[in-house]
Amino acid sequence: MIMRMSSLFVRTLREDPADAEVPSHKLLVRAGYIRRAAPGIYTWLPLGLKVLRKIEDIIREEMNAIGAQELSFPALLPREPYEATNRWTEYGDGIFRLQDRKGADYLLGPTHEEMFTLVVKDLYSSYKDLPLSIYQIQTKYRDEARPRAGLLRGREFVMKDSYSFDVDDAGLENSYQAHRNAYIRIFDRLGFEYVIVEAMSGAMGGSKSEEFLATATVGEDTYVRCSLCDYAANVEAVHSPPIAAVPYDDAPAAHAEQTPDTPTIDTLVDHLNEKFARDDRPWTAADTLKNVLFTVKHPDGTVEALAVGLPGDREVDDKRLEAHLGEGVEFAPFGDDDFKSRPTLAKGYIGPGALGEKKPAGVRYLVDPRVVEGTRWVTGADTPGSHVIDLVAGRDFSADGIIEVAEVRDGDPCPRGDGGVLESARGIEMGHIFQLGRKYADALDLKVLDENGKLVTVTMGSYGVGPSRAVAAIAEGTHDELGLAWPREVAPADVHIVAAGKDEAIFAAAERVAHELDKQGIEVLYDDRAGKISPGVKFKDAELIGVPTIVVVGKGLAEGTIEVKDRASGTSEQVPADHVVDHVVRVVRA
Ligand code: ATP
Ligand code: MG
C-alpha cells in the first residue's frame, strides 16, 4: 500500500516543541511521529508506529530464532505476587498503583518477573519441560522520577521482556548466552553503534548482568572502557582492582594532632604540609580518609545513618551509591539536625573512632576498597580542630563493610590489572540481560522434579530491551541538521517519492514509479500533494521525515531523468526514467 502525503495523518512542524531538550525528541515531534499526551506519555502517530513495529518485528524474529515463545500478559496486575517478592514495597513511588471498586490493590506492571514465574509454576512440574524461554512485547508503566527526553525515558513505554527457566546453573548459562547472541543480532540489525558493558543487577538481585548501550552524548548512563583490553562496564558496576594488604609492622603509632580550622580536605592538606611536612613527598588529598554521612530511607520506612569512608581526593558518586543501595532506597547528605542528634560526631572532624554500628552514634560505616589492611590515613579525631595521623586500617580501626561508590575517573587502572586505564563515555541503556538465579523462584516457590524425582528450585534469567526507547535512540544516533535519517531496517518506508513541480506529466510519472515500486514490495511514501505546496516544502519534509531513499520526479523529467538521493549521505544521482524502478529496487535490497 502506498502512503500518500496528501492523506497521511501527519503535520510536520518547522518549530521545535518547547519542552524538548534532545534532538531525537524535537525531531520525532516535528516530523510527526509522536505527540505528547502527558509528561512521559506519548501518542504514536502512523509514521512513528511504523518504526516502532519494525523494531518490534526485528526483536520478535530474533527471539523466535532462539526458540523463545511469545505470549502476552496483562498490564493491570494484582498486588499479591509483587507482595510475595517484596517489590510492591521496594518499588516505592516508582510504580502506578490503583484500586478496583471493591478496594482491592492493583498495579500497572513495571516489569513482569512475578507473572512469568507464576505461569510456569501453574503449568510445569518436571525437568523434562525445561529449558523454557518465553517473552512478550508489551506496554510497561513506571512512575519515573525524571521522565525526560521524550521516548528515551517514558512513564509508559514498550518493553520486550523475556525470561528463561532452567533446572541448573549450566542451563542458565546456555540460555543467557543464547539471549546474548540474539541481542547482538538485534542490535546489529537496528543499525546503530552500541557497546556491551558489565552492569549491576540492581533491585533484581541475581548475579551476572550486562547492558547493551547505544553510544550517545545525551545518554544518562556513563560507562568506561579499558584502553588496552575489552573490559567495558557501566560506571555503577566498576570495581577497583584488588589491592594487596600493606605490611605495617614499622608503622608509627597513630597520633592525634591539633589542626585548627581545617574542616575541608584542602585546608587539611595545606595545614599538614605546613605543620607536619613529610620527608619523602608532600601530603596530598589521597592520604586523607574522608567520611561522608548520609541518611538512608528504605522502602519499608526504616531510616538509618550511613557513613562512607573514602580517600579524600574522591567524591561519592550519587549514581553509584543509588545503584548499590537498590531500587526505592532514598538517601540524603546529613543535615544539621542529624548532627545535632548525634553529639559524638564532630562535623568536619569525623573519624572511624566515632563510626560503626556499635558506636554510640549508631552510624553504619562502610569504606572504599582502597582502605585495605595496613594503609595509613590522616582522618578526623572526632574533636573539633583535631585530626589523627598514621591511623592504620586493620590495626587502629575496622569498618562494618566495603562499599564501591567512589567516583570513577578517567585514567583509573583497569580492574583486570592489565596496565590499561579507564576512559569514560556516555550511552543510552537499550537492553539489559541478567542471570536472576533463584531469587524469584524461591520467593514464589517454583520447583520442578529433577531426574531423580527430587524437587529442585528453577533458575531464571531475565532479558529486557526497549523498542520505544530504541526509536528515540536510533533517531539520536542517526539524525543530522536537516532531520531524521533512518537506517533502512527500521525506516517507516523504503522510498519517499517527491512529485516536484506543477505539470501533469510529473505527477503521472511519479504515480507510475510509486505503483511499480509498490508492486515489487517496496514500501512507498509518496508526496502527491498538489496545489500550493512548493517543491521546497516537500524537500524539507522529506529530509525531516528521514526515509533513506528519496526519489525526486521534477525538472529532469523533461530530459528523461529522475533524481535518486541517499538521505543519510546526501549524495544523489540522475537516473534514466525508464530505469528508475530497477535502480531503486537494487538500492533498497542492497
Ligand atoms: P534505566 O536504568 O534506564 O532506568 P532500567 O535499568 O530501569 O533502565 P530495565 O528494567 O533493565 O531498565 O528495563 C529493560 C529495558 O527497558 C531497558 O534496557 C530500556 O531499553 C527499557 N526501559 C526501561 N525504562 C524505560 C523508560 N522509562 N522508558 C523507555 N524505555 C525504558
Ligand atoms: Mg537496567
Side-chain angles (χ1 to χ4, degrees):
M1 209 189 59
I2 300 169
M3 279 188 283
R4 291 170 185 276
M5 282 297 279
S6 60
S7 56
L8 183 65
F9 188 57
V10 67
R11 279 287 173 272
T12 57
L13 311 172
R14 293 287 166 250
E15 298 295 323
D16 285 333
D19 63 335
E21 301 152 36
V22 301
S24 59
H25 186 194
K26 292 177 188 169
L27 290 170
L28 288 167
V29 172
R30 278 186 46 207
Y33 283 66
I34 56 169
R35 295 295 294 172
R36 194 184 92 127
I41 304 180
Y42 290 86
T43 305
W44 294 91
L45 299 178
L47 287 175
L49 195 59
K50 284 227 164 229
V51 176
L52 178 67
R53 293 284 182 254
K54 288 203 171 172
I55 294 171
E56 291 174 354
D57 285 343
I58 290 174
I59 295 170
R60 186 173 279 120
E61 279 171 35
E62 298 300 342
M63 283 294 111
N64 294 346
I66 59 164
Q69 300 173 59
E70 185 170 5
L71 44 65
S72 185
F73 279 95
L76 182 60
L77 302 172
R79 168 178 176 159
E80 290 70 26
Y82 287 79
E83 195 68 71
T85 57
N86 203 32
R87 290 212 291 186
W88 177 264
T89 311
E90 268 173 25
Y91 261 109
D93 290 335
I95 52 173
F96 290 97
R97 297 176 169 81
L98 58 167
Q99 290 189 331
D100 70 6
R101 60 173 77 208
K102 297 189 184 123
D105 284 322
Y106 286 82
L107 73 158
L108 295 177
T111 171
H112 280 69
E113 279 76 4
E114 285 82 351
M115 304 312 291
F116 275 83
T117 309
L118 286 174
V119 83
V120 174
K121 178 180 167 177
D122 239 4
L123 298 174
Y124 276 7
S125 56
S126 161
Y127 74 96
K128 290 184 200 147
D129 299 323
L130 305 181
L132 170 73
S133 284
I134 42 182
Y135 75 97
Q136 62 174 345
I137 298 177
Q138 193 238 23
T139 306
K140 298 273 193 270
Y141 298 86
R142 293 183 185 174
D143 196 0
E144 297 275 0
R146 291 171 293 275
R148 75 178 268 282
L151 301 172
L152 284 178
R153 182 170 297 285
R155 297 199 298 164
E156 175 181 296
F157 60 96
V158 184
M159 196 199 290
K160 185 286 298 176
D161 48 333
S162 36
Y163 304 85
S164 64
F165 299 84
D166 283 276
V167 251
D168 53 27
D169 295 349
L172 171 57
E173 185 62 35
N174 280 341
S175 299
Y176 182 87
Q177 285 307 328
H179 270 89
R180 191 179 193 274
N181 292 336
Y183 272 44
I184 290 173
R185 285 190 293 272
I186 291 167
F187 288 105
D188 285 348
R189 286 179 65 184
L190 291 180
F192 60 88
E193 267 185 55
Y194 68 94
V195 289
I196 305 174
V197 302
E198 288 178 19
M200 287 276 294
S201 19
M204 298 283 196
S207 46
K208 187 166 165 185
S209 160
E210 290 168 291
E211 283 170 355
F212 288 68
L213 303 183
T215 55
T217 47
V218 303
E220 287 183 74
D221 287 83
T222 308
Y223 68 95
V224 294
R225 262 193 232 245
C226 175
S227 57
L228 291 182
C229 73
D230 63 357
Y231 175 80
N234 192 309
V235 150
E236 291 160 9
V238 174
H239 293 278
S240 44
I243 304 173
V246 185
Y248 55 85
D249 291 347
D250 297 341
H255 45 110
E257 300 291 352
Q258 291 304 309
T259 55
D261 302 322
T262 57
T264 64
I265 297 294
D266 285 349
T267 51
L268 173 62
V269 170
D270 288 348
H271 187 88
L272 290 171
N273 282 321
E274 197 176 309
K275 295 278 162 53
F276 305 95
R278 303 171 59 121
D279 300 333
D280 52 347
R281 60 170 174 82
W283 293 101
T284 71
D287 298 315
T288 69
L289 176 64
K290 167 161 81 179
N291 298 295
V292 189
L293 282 90
F294 297 94
T295 305
V296 176
K297 189 172 167 215
H298 295 276
D300 64 2
T302 56
V303 175
E304 65 160 343
L306 171 70
V308 175
L310 73 170
D313 64 333
R314 292 193 190 241
E315 301 297 331
V316 171
D317 178 330
D318 281 355
K319 280 200 144 181
R320 272 162 66 82
L321 181 57
E322 194 180 323
H324 279 258
L325 292 176
E327 202 93 23
V329 180
E330 291 166 26
F331 60 90
F334 249 43
D336 288 342
D337 287 348
D338 299 307
F339 282 109
K340 248 187 233 143
S341 66
R342 291 180 177 80
T344 53
L345 301 180
K347 190 176 173 187
Y349 301 89
I350 300 170
L355 300 171
E357 275 161 343
K358 300 204 179 75
K359 303 281 168 62
V363 179
R364 189 153 67 108
Y365 187 37
L366 302 177
V367 293
D368 185 83
R370 293 169 189 85
V371 186
V372 291
E373 191 182 337
T375 47
R376 279 151 73 169
W377 301 94
V378 180
T379 188
D382 303 306
T383 358
S386 176
H387 282 89
V388 213
I389 303 180
D390 293 320
L391 195 76
V392 174
R395 180 189 75 180
D396 302 325
F397 72 97
S398 55
D400 299 318
I402 301 286
I403 190 167
E404 287 249 24
V405 295
E407 63 184 303
V408 176
R409 291 206 205 115
D410 282 16
D412 279 351
C414 172
R416 291 195 184 148
D418 54 11
V421 295
L422 301 180
E423 294 156 358
S424 64
R426 292 182 81 79
I428 302 168
E429 181 190 320
M430 304 299 306
H432 194 172
I433 54 177
F434 49 104
Q435 302 192 353
L436 291 175
R438 296 181 176 80
K439 177 178 168 173
Y440 288 88
D442 269 334
L444 298 165
D445 198 31
L446 169 60
K447 292 192 168 82
V448 292
L449 290 171
D450 71 6
E451 279 168 272
N452 308 313
K454 219 178 79 210
L455 273 179
V456 291
T457 304
V458 169
T459 181
M460 293 169 56
S462 138
Y463 317 90
V465 52
S468 56
R469 179 178 284 182
V471 172
I474 297 171
E476 201 59 53
T478 53
H479 77 279
D480 59 21
E481 64 290 351
L482 302 173
L484 299 164
W486 297 106
R488 194 162 290 287
E489 280 234 40
V490 304
D494 294 314
V495 249
H496 187 143
I497 301 175
V498 178
K502 290 209 170 65
D503 296 357
E504 279 295 300
I506 284 176
F507 281 86
E511 187 79 35
R512 200 167 52 244
V513 173
H515 267 285
E516 283 175 28
L517 286 172
D518 181 52
K519 255 196 342 230
Q520 302 226 29
I522 304 289
E523 288 176 289
V524 177
L525 172 61
Y526 171 29
D527 198 342
D528 60 339
R529 290 174 294 177
K532 284 203 288 289
I533 313 271
S534 72
V537 167
K538 291 184 178 180
F539 295 148
K540 277 221 154 56
D541 278 347
E543 280 155 348
L544 181 61
I545 289 170
V547 170
T549 304
I550 301 171
V551 172
V552 182
V553 185
K555 286 200 286 284
L557 195 65
E559 285 99 56
T561 64
I562 289 175
E563 185 185 2
V564 179
K565 267 210 286 209
D566 182 70
R567 169 64 186 86
S569 67
T571 54
S572 88
E573 48 188 325
Q574 299 292 336
V575 178
D578 298 346
H579 296 171
V580 80
V581 170
D582 288 348
H583 180 92
V584 170
V585 170
R586 236 179 297 123
V587 170
V588 170
R589 304 239 159 99

